Amino acid sequence: MTIERADIEKLAELARVQISEDNIAATSRSLGNVLALVDQLQAVDTRDIAPMSHPLDTTQRLRADEVTEPDHRLAFQKIAPAIEDGLYLVPRVID
Amino acid sequence: MTAANDWEVVIGLEVHVQLATRSKIFSGASTAFGAAPNSQACAIDLAMPGTLPVANEQAFRFAVMFGLAIDAEIAETSVFERKNYFYPDLPKGYQTTQLEKPIVGPGHVDIQLPDGGHKRVRIHHAHLEEDAGKSLHEGDWQVNGRPMTGIDLNRAGTPLIEIVSEPDMRSADEAVAFARKLHSIVTSLGICDGDMSQGSMRFDVNISVHRPDTPFGTRTETKNLNSFKFMEDAIALEVERQIDILEDGGRIIQETRLYNGETRRARSMRTKEEANDYRYFPCPDLLPVVIDSQTIEAIRDSLPELPDAREQRFVEQYGLSEYDAGILGDEADMARFFEEVAKLCGDPKLAANWIMGELAARLNSTDTAIGQSPVNAGQLAGLIARIMDHSISNNMAKQVFDAMWKGEGEPDDIIEKRGLKQVSDAGALEKIVDEVIAKNPAMVQDYLGTDESKRKKKLGGFMGQIMKASKGQANPQQVNEILVRKLNDLL
């Protein structure tokens, strides 16, 4: 499967990354290589095989519904780039 | 119901229900509402490197309870997946949710329609997931002159069940009836506090219109409605918009819309072309959750009474009409209030009348939940007891109720303080009746000269004067008996 320029542009927008004009051809080639690998994988017949999401043959341990985490806001906000009124500040987003 | 010019409306709902757990679904941070911003967001909620989620047992129990209540199949094995998207109130860059193997499979909810009929709405599935944080755009925060958005992650990781219905509703009324029914089910189960003003239940509404007997039309989704009223308005608005477009020869674009309850307008948020590709995949940090059939059966055995069963019981146990039972039995808080009043005063029908009449009117006009009623069950029962023993008349009872609503205290104290006691002392009443008869010879002659079948109508004049003389405190039934007896003695 070949990756068109339009695909790269759309993927870049969805992934919120900027791909410079010079890099479009190279990116399209390397993504094409990845997809070629996926094509190989997809050629295998897996109809009767249950997907394995991880290698452990066990199930999830559940915890009791108890509040165990105290307020560490001060410590966390010390390493945040911008805070005010107890909030983390990020460049304005409105959808 | 068909809309204007034979368009049929088709509605499906996605409902987010915040589960009433103490801690979050994957961390031990508190879920309490109203805490200082970010004071309940721990390292896991903030997606700090090296943290791992551990699932909350109670969230699963609550999800199973809901599944059993809607007669759904419960998945013994359910799996979490990552739904990837970028947004600042989602620090991990993905929402942990369920897609392929949700905990609750297909089920159904029966709703009562405004015309008294019933309808079954199918549930496609319900799955467990985590809530995101909150983005605050209203502040005037700035960094280097750039406007900033504030992020509060207290809500991040609050457990949700998302309930997805089939497109089985055909009008705003049906959609609201369905939403209300879900509200009464989750609050009766005690798995959600049901407080819509705090976002405990939020609705996404999928709407399309088509001509009957043709395929469904293209649908739009209006997101994040947090009241029944907004939902009703948003549906009406969207149905009208779609019909207008179609009748003008246009076509509907599949899109996500946002409704603003304040301005009562909606706008497009994004079209299908701009939609995220969520790149779902199984979450490697969480193993499959297995709930064995014994646990499921134990939960089934411990389910509290559900609204349908309660309404049926109210009809049988208290002799209420189906309509009254529907109003009083639907919500757990209302049902508890009614049962307490009925038990304390001993007259379920009077209790029902007072709750659905005077109390409901006050609650509605002040937008107060029954749980916050200024008049408690004990006070209302005390008031009804005074009506039953004829201490006060219905009119006086309304005055007492008014005083209780204003916080003036217990019914007996108010009756005492305001001197509202109804006079039932026969001797005192006979004296007043005698005086009124003596003062009004013309009325007496008129009464005696009237044909027997029409005499009853002539009593009104006497009653008015007697009530006035007693300052409204005479027991009307008793006065009526005494008056008729005394007048008839003169015949």
Side-chain angles (χ1 to χ4, degrees):
Chain A
M1 181 186 169
T2 51
I3 303 258
E4 307 289 339
R5 178 191 187 86
D7 296 325
I8 294 289
E9 283 167 356
K10 173 153 194 230
L11 286 172
E13 194 196 323
L14 285 174
R16 302 289 189 271
V17 294
Q18 202 167 25
I19 294 177
S20 69
E21 198 55 39
D22 306 345
N23 271 330
I24 288 187
T27 310
S28 132
R29 256 194 319 278
S30 37
L31 280 181
N33 288 340
V34 173
L35 288 184
L37 181 67
V38 173
D39 283 344
Q40 273 186 49
L41 291 172
Q42 281 191 326
V44 182
D45 182 0
T46 57
R47 259 173 307 183
D48 298 327
I49 302 170
M52 183 183 75
S53 49
H54 53 78
L56 302 175
D57 185 21
T58 177
T59 57
Q60 180 67 38
R61 190 178 69 84
L62 302 176
R63 47 167 252 277
D65 181 25
E66 282 161 15
V67 176
T68 52
E69 293 287 340
D71 176 10
H72 287 310
R73 186 175 80 181
L74 274 179
F76 291 133
Q77 297 206 329
K78 254 184 206 156
I79 53 170
I83 51 163
E84 210 167 306
D85 304 331
L87 300 164
Y88 296 95
L89 297 188
V90 299
R92 177 160 289 182
V93 277
I94 293 200
D95 61 11
Chain B
M1 188 190 87
T2 39
N5 298 330
D6 289 335
W7 288 99
E8 186 178 57
V9 179
V10 176
I11 301 172
L13 256 61
E14 290 167 27
V15 184
H16 289 92
V17 175
Q18 281 186 347
L19 297 177
T21 55
R22 284 191 284 269
S23 64
K24 295 188 177 174
I25 184 167
F26 299 123
S27 85
S30 169
T31 55
F33 183 82
N38 293 306
S39 62
Q40 293 174 173
C42 73
I44 292 173
D45 308 323
L46 294 176
M48 287 294 173
T51 56
L52 283 173
V54 185
N56 184 338
E57 183 180 24
Q58 185 75 317
F60 282 86
R61 174 173 292 274
F62 283 171
V64 170
M65 286 170 75
F66 175 75
L68 294 172
I70 62 160
D71 215 8
E73 220 170 280
I74 309 296
E76 286 197 27
T77 302
S78 63
V79 171
F80 282 105
E81 265 154 292
R82 292 185 178 181
K83 177 183 180 180
N84 300 276
Y85 65 94
F86 289 111
Y87 207 72
D89 56 24
L90 187 80
K92 288 186 297 188
Y94 58 84
Q95 179 191 32
T96 306
T97 179
Q98 299 183 314
L99 181 72
E100 296 290 335
K101 288 186 179 173
I103 178 130
V104 175
H108 58 84
V109 167
D110 292 331
I111 57 171
Q112 195 169 7
L113 303 177
D115 67 4
H118 294 267
K119 176 168 186 165
R120 175 156 289 189
V121 176
R122 292 168 302 152
I123 303 293
H124 181 273
H125 77 274
H127 62 259
L128 271 168
E129 62 184 25
E130 58 183 340
D131 211 340
K134 270 185 192 159
S135 298
L136 305 164
H137 305 293
E138 297 80 18
D140 53 1
W141 304 292
Q142 291 200 345
V143 171
N144 299 330
R146 287 179 69 193
M148 303 295 271
T149 290
I151 306 290
D152 177 5
L153 295 168
N154 280 352
R155 198 180 67 181
T158 295
L160 300 174
I161 45 171
E162 178 174 337
I163 303 158
V164 181
S165 87
E166 297 285 356
D168 286 351
M169 288 148 280
R170 294 291 174 271
S171 67
D173 282 346
E174 289 184 14
V176 170
F178 172 72
R180 284 187 183 280
K181 189 61 177 278
L182 283 183
H183 185 268
S184 70
I185 290 172
V186 297
T187 52
S188 294
L189 289 170
I191 64 173
C192 172
D193 67 18
D195 193 335
M196 316 257 296
S197 67
Q198 298 179 358
S200 293
M201 264 182 108
R202 312 192 295 267
F203 305 96
D204 299 343
V205 191
N206 287 291
I207 304 168
S208 67
V209 299
H210 72 143
R211 302 284 189 190
D213 305 318
T214 65
F216 285 171
T218 302
R219 68 187 154 86
T220 65
E221 182 180 26
T222 303
K223 282 188 99 71
N224 251 331
L225 301 163
N226 65 355
S227 85
F228 300 126
K229 181 81 188 108
F230 287 170
M231 197 169 113
E232 196 176 346
D233 290 349
I235 292 172
L237 196 67
E238 178 58 12
V239 167
E240 196 184 310
R241 189 187 72 90
Q242 291 191 10
I243 292 176
D244 281 352
I245 290 175
L246 293 172
E247 292 195 336
D248 287 348
R251 63 185 191 90
I252 306 299
I253 300 167
Q254 190 178 334
E255 62 183 347
T256 303
R257 300 179 64 81
L258 274 185
Y259 175 78
N260 183 327
E262 305 300 316
T263 60
R264 307 183 75 172
R265 282 164 194 272
R267 64 177 172 85
S268 178
M269 192 167 115
R270 59 178 115 86
T271 61
K272 191 188 174 193
E273 282 71 32
E274 299 160 338
N276 282 308
D277 175 353
Y278 291 121
R279 309 184 309 284
Y280 279 94
F281 63 87
C283 181
D285 285 349
L286 288 158
L287 298 160
V289 175
V290 173
I291 311 225
D292 60 45
S293 55
Q294 273 166 300
T295 309
I296 294 172
E297 286 317 305
I299 295 173
R300 190 195 301 278
D301 290 341
S302 66
L303 279 187
E305 187 175 43
L306 288 162
D308 286 348
R310 186 163 53 216
E311 286 167 29
Q312 186 59 35
R313 178 168 66 79
F314 280 11
V315 170
E316 286 161 11
Q317 183 178 342
Y318 299 116
L320 299 185
S321 69
E322 205 175 306
Y323 177 82
D324 291 358
I327 291 177
L328 296 169
D330 193 35
E331 296 281 346
D333 284 351
M334 179 63 95
R336 236 187 326 267
F337 194 96
F338 162 71
E339 292 211 82
E340 206 178 327
V341 176
K343 202 172 87 189
L344 290 171
C345 77
D347 189 330
K349 284 197 178 148
L350 259 183
N353 289 343
W354 272 87
I355 292 169
M356 293 191 303
E358 210 70 17
L359 181 64
R362 298 292 178 110
L363 293 174
N364 286 341
S365 68
T366 56
D367 200 20
T368 308
I370 183 88
Q372 264 75 56
S373 169
V375 177
N376 65 38
Q379 290 171 329
L380 184 57
L383 175 65
I384 293 172
R386 294 290 85 82
I387 302 168
M388 288 166 66
D389 67 15
H390 303 295
S391 303
I392 55 173
S393 66
N394 250 315
N395 274 333
M396 291 178 193
K398 283 182 184 163
Q399 290 179 49
V400 177
F401 183 87
D402 188 59
M404 289 198 297
W405 183 269
K406 289 175 183 150
E408 290 179 28
E410 299 304 310
D412 285 346
D413 297 340
I414 294 166
I415 291 166
E416 179 78 37
K417 217 183 301 169
R418 300 201 169 191
L420 285 174
K421 269 252 184 250
Q422 182 165 255
V423 178
S424 301
D425 168 25
L429 291 179
E430 296 219 7
K431 195 166 158 252
I432 298 173
V433 174
D434 283 340
E435 282 168 15
V436 170
I437 288 176
K439 266 191 226 160
N440 295 282
M443 270 168 63
V444 175
Q445 285 311 313
D446 182 35
Y447 177 86
L448 298 177
T450 300
D451 190 62
E452 196 182 340
S453 60
K454 291 174 185 159
R455 264 184 214 144
K456 219 176 162 185
K457 285 187 186 157
K458 299 283 178 188
L459 292 173
F462 292 103
M463 287 297 289
Q465 291 205 27
I466 294 163
M467 293 312 281
K468 201 173 155 193
S470 74
K471 299 190 183 73
Q473 296 180 349
N475 179 336
Q477 265 173 308
Q478 227 176 327
V479 167
N480 194 61
E481 280 164 32
I482 296 169
L483 179 65
V484 170
R485 174 164 49 78
K486 291 210 180 261
L487 286 171
N488 287 349
D489 283 349
L490 297 174
L491 275 171

